[in-house]
């Protein structure tokens, strides 16, 4: 989408944005302009200032101008404090390509019964000795960012996460340290302008419990209530995520994992320039009014997890 926002929502979704998010189409442009003006006066933030980016943050904050400002600052701060996830995001890079071709994270075509986007992860599919947790996070964010840029409906209805944990081992669990768990939760919950509306996991081996208990400890209460662990019960999964949008490998009718993976390879390639250009956006802490923020301020986990790394 270029500089000026053009609404692609159905009448029903426009109504839903009014009811659930407090969006007023008559005041939309004015709200966007207010935030754009505010961004111009933040010496430390280098942000995208196109209508669509700002609108996504307004929707994610239910049109509270103050919360939108906080969230934008937080988003760009997280981005700059996580260079290992947000730099060198070139889909043509040989190593990145190899990981993309595994299909670890796949937004599924279409929407669930409530109109939400479903993002499907295959968390045990990669070899943790060859692929680092930082690389997995980077790849996930690349695909997620392209999806959010291209899918207007998701900015109103939200996202549901589903994950197949087949193949998850202790080696995967060890790589997902408390520090990376905390960092990913701060980023998703406080940085991104949308909240996952549900978390679904299938085929969860024992190693999953170790990882998940750490992950869960950083989750907001509201989020904890949205967790569904289905074991190996596909029927239980289908109650949460309809067959119509699941790949055939999961009892669905929405193409194969391979089809969906190839679609996303094509989308990240099409957005290569956008992904590379995106690196220049972030914060310059030396210019922040008041006290500069550090990784320890945002992602520090002192105290509570000392006992995990005794030996």
């Amino acid at each position: 989408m270029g500089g000026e926002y053009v609404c692609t929502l159905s009448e029903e979704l426009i109504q839903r944005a009014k009811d659930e998010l407090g969006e007023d189409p008559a005041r939309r442009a004015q709200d966007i302009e207010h935030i754009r003006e505010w961004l111009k006066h933040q010496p430390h933030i280098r942000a995208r200032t196109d209508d669509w980016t700002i609108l996504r943050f307004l929707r994610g904050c239910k049109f509270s101008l103050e919360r939108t400002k906080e969230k934008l600052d937080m988003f760009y701060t997280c981005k700059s404090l996580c260079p290992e996830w947000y730099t060198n995001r070139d889909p043509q890079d040989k190593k990145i390509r190899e990981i993309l071709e595994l299909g670890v994270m796949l937004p599924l075509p279409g929407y669930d019964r409530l109109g939400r986007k479903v993002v499907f992860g295959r968390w045990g599919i990669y070899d943790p000795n060859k692929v680092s947790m930082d690389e997995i996070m980077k790849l996930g964010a690349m695909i997620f960012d392209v999806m959010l840029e291209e899918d207007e409906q998701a900015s109103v209805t939200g996202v549901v996460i589903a994950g197949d944990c087949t193949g998850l081992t202790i080696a995967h669990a060890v790589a997902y340290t408390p520090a990376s768990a905390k960092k990913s939760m701060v980023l998703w919950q406080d940085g991104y302008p949308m909240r996952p509306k549900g978390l679904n996991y299938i085929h969860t081996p024992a190693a999953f419990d170790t990882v998940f208990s750490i992950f869960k400890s950083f989750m907001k209460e509201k989020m904890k209530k949205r967790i569904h662990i289905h074991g190996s019960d596909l029927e239980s999964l289908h109650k949460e995520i309809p067959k119509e949008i699941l790949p055939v490998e999961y009892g669905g009718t929405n193409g194969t994992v391979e089809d969906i993976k190839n679609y996303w390879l094509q989308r990240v390639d099409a957005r290569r320039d956008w992904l590379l250009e995106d690196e220049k956006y972030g914060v310059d802490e030396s210019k922040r009014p008041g006290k500069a923020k550090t990784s320890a301020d945002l992602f520090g986990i002192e105290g509570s997890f000392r006992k995990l790394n005794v030996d």
Side-chain angles (χ1 to χ4, degrees):
M1 303 197 182
E4 203 160 319
Y5 166 73
V6 179
C7 186
T8 65
L9 300 174
S10 65
E11 286 303 318
E12 185 195 353
L13 284 169
I14 290 173
Q15 190 56 50
R16 207 167 144 182
K18 281 182 191 170
D19 298 343
E20 293 175 25
L21 308 175
E23 179 166 346
D24 175 358
R27 211 189 59 226
R28 189 194 284 132
Q30 197 183 325
D31 287 343
I32 291 172
E33 197 46 49
H34 176 94
I35 298 295
R36 187 181 289 122
E37 271 307 303
W38 175 80
L39 280 168
K40 279 183 195 158
H41 294 95
Q42 304 311 302
H44 61 300
I45 305 178
R46 296 183 302 280
R48 291 186 178 275
T49 55
D50 59 284
D51 287 5
W52 170 227
T53 300
I54 294 173
L55 178 58
R56 277 210 305 272
F57 279 87
L58 282 162
R59 283 180 178 155
C61 298
K62 296 188 173 171
F63 283 80
S64 154
L65 298 176
E66 284 319 299
R67 271 183 52 216
T68 302
K69 292 168 188 176
E70 281 167 26
K71 175 90 60 178
L72 275 161
D73 193 326
M74 189 64 162
F75 176 75
Y76 286 110
T77 303
C78 284
K79 215 164 155 289
S80 285
L81 291 178
C82 296
E84 63 281 20
W85 298 354
Y86 284 95
T87 51
N88 310 321
R89 301 202 296 174
D90 183 354
Q92 302 291 331
D93 173 88
K94 191 169 171 289
K95 179 82 191 268
I96 288 180
R97 195 75 187 174
E98 280 169 17
I99 307 170
L100 279 169
E101 287 182 350
L102 293 172
V104 176
M105 195 171 114
L106 303 169
L108 304 178
Y111 305 92
D112 74 1
R113 298 179 190 98
L114 295 170
R116 304 173 300 191
K117 196 75 190 164
V118 178
V119 176
F120 199 88
R122 299 190 305 150
W123 307 125
I125 201 106
Y126 66 95
D127 179 346
N129 302 310
K130 293 188 182 146
V131 179
S132 73
M133 184 47 70
D134 284 338
E135 286 169 325
I136 290 295
M137 291 302 193
K138 178 195 287 203
L139 273 284
M142 279 170 73
I143 288 176
F144 204 75
D145 288 353
V146 169
M147 176 193 87
L148 294 179
E149 179 66 17
E150 297 190 337
D151 196 311
E152 182 169 21
Q153 179 164 330
S155 71
V156 174
T157 56
V159 169
V160 173
I161 308 284
D164 176 0
C165 302
T166 304
L168 204 68
T169 62
I170 286 298
H172 290 93
V174 170
Y176 195 59
T177 60
S180 56
K182 169 85 189 271
K183 201 189 284 187
S184 58
M185 286 317 281
V186 169
L187 186 67
W188 295 122
Q189 294 186 131
D190 303 330
Y192 274 81
M194 63 189 324
R195 289 267 152 69
K197 299 287 184 189
L199 296 167
N200 295 270
Y201 296 93
I202 53 164
H203 303 317
T204 43
F208 171 82
D209 301 335
T210 320
V211 182
F212 201 66
S213 61
I214 296 172
F215 189 56
K216 206 170 149 183
S217 65
F218 299 117
M219 235 177 243
K220 295 184 172 165
E221 281 311 312
K222 192 163 77 173
M223 206 55 244
K224 287 180 186 168
K225 294 189 180 84
R226 297 173 177 171
I227 297 167
H228 306 275
I229 296 183
H230 303 283
S232 299
D233 186 350
L234 280 177
E235 280 183 21
S236 168
L237 176 70
H238 297 157
K239 289 191 182 99
E240 293 295 325
I241 296 171
K243 288 183 189 178
E244 302 79 76
I245 69 161
L246 280 167
V248 289
E249 290 87 344
Y250 299 93
T253 55
N254 200 9
T256 62
V257 163
E258 187 71 11
D259 296 335
I260 299 167
K261 184 190 80 182
N262 288 331
Y263 171 80
W264 282 102
L265 279 171
Q266 188 197 321
R267 288 322 307 145
V268 291
D269 282 344
R271 289 281 176 177
R272 181 176 181 238
D273 292 347
W274 184 89
L275 284 161
L276 294 176
E277 185 220 6
D278 199 57
E279 268 187 49
K280 69 179 193 219
Y281 300 107
V283 293
D284 177 347
E285 288 300 339
S286 68
K287 293 181 178 164
R288 183 187 290 275
K291 188 177 173 288
K293 288 191 176 164
T294 65
S295 281
D297 295 335
L298 253 62
F299 312 127
I301 52 165
E302 51 290 324
S304 52
F305 283 96
R306 290 249 168 78
K307 58 184 180 297
L308 281 177
N309 32 27
V310 274
D311 31 33

